[in-house]
Amino acid sequence: MAKRTKSKPASPAPSASSSSNDLSQIREIVQLMAGNDVSYFYSERNGAKLELRRGSDLEAVKELLKSLPAASGAPMTYAAPAHMPAPMPVAPAPAAASASPAAAASAPEAMGPTINSPMVGTFYRSPAPGEKPIVNVGDIVDENSNVCIIEAMKVMNEIKADARGTIARVLVEDGKPVQYGQPLFELKA
């Protein structure tokens, strides 16, 4: 009869929870994303993949806007991205104040570079109701300057200027909805 010896059991195979991210690690990653204004995180480790997104998925919004049919005879309510030419105004500037919101959105023609909306949401010039606007006409901004807030899905997103210049004109009324790519501010270079 063979003699039995006690041997150390082989180390257990890593379980699914130890090879993938556990809940506390995911929470820590989410907190780091929120604290550093990161909207996308991807990790692949030991065969486990983790993909996290915060805020709106801009690519999905772009595709959705492309797939929406335009109503016949009605003006488009969102502006073209900055690389496309701006539509010609339908009415003179003084009449734009009394025009419908859709006509007012297409009426102002940008003269200089613009700061465009990076998402769909509601435009706010100030951080809270009754407070002074973040930027005013004549203020100098650069790529690190906050210029407004856009609320999307109950999240307040601080929008930074994507160009350097002086604010020449505010193109959107406070509290109004904006579309992806819509010009928000006109700049003087």
Side-chain angles (χ1 to χ4, degrees), residues 3-173:
K3 183 177 174 185
R4 285 189 172 186
T5 61
K6 280 196 166 184
S7 65
K8 235 181 184 179
S11 62
S15 67
S17 64
S18 66
S19 66
S20 65
N21 297 304
D22 65 349
L23 190 56
S24 63
Q25 288 175 322
I26 294 173
R27 283 186 179 138
E28 185 177 337
I29 292 168
V30 169
Q31 288 174 345
L32 286 169
M33 288 174 69
N36 294 301
D37 198 27
V38 174
S39 60
Y40 179 77
F41 175 83
Y42 178 81
S43 173
E44 188 172 340
R45 186 174 43 175
N46 299 333
K49 296 178 183 179
L50 177 66
E51 184 175 12
L52 301 172
R53 295 177 193 260
R54 282 183 62 240
S56 62
D57 187 359
L58 295 179
E59 292 304 315
V61 171
K62 286 183 209 175
E63 291 303 314
L64 177 64
L65 288 175
K66 288 179 186 176
S67 68
L68 290 175
S72 60
M76 298 297 279
T77 58
Y78 63 92
H83 63 277
M84 298 180 96
M88 295 301 289
V90 177
S98 63
S100 69
S106 63
E109 183 177 340
M111 303 288 267
T114 59
I115 299 172
N116 300 323
S117 176
M119 64 184 66
V120 175
T122 304
F123 172 84
Y124 296 108
R125 291 191 60 200
S126 60
E131 291 189 18
K132 65 179 186 134
I134 298 170
V135 293
N136 290 307
V137 173
D139 289 352
I140 298 172
V141 297
D142 63 20
E143 291 85 0
N144 295 320
S145 302
N146 289 335
V147 292
C148 66
I149 293 176
I150 295 181
E151 177 187 5
M153 297 176 57
K154 307 275 186 203
V155 175
M156 298 297 183
N157 301 283
E158 291 183 342
I159 306 304
K160 294 190 182 294
D162 50 5
R164 293 176 187 251
T166 303
I167 302 289
R169 219 173 19 156
V170 180
L171 303 173
V172 180
E173 190 177 330

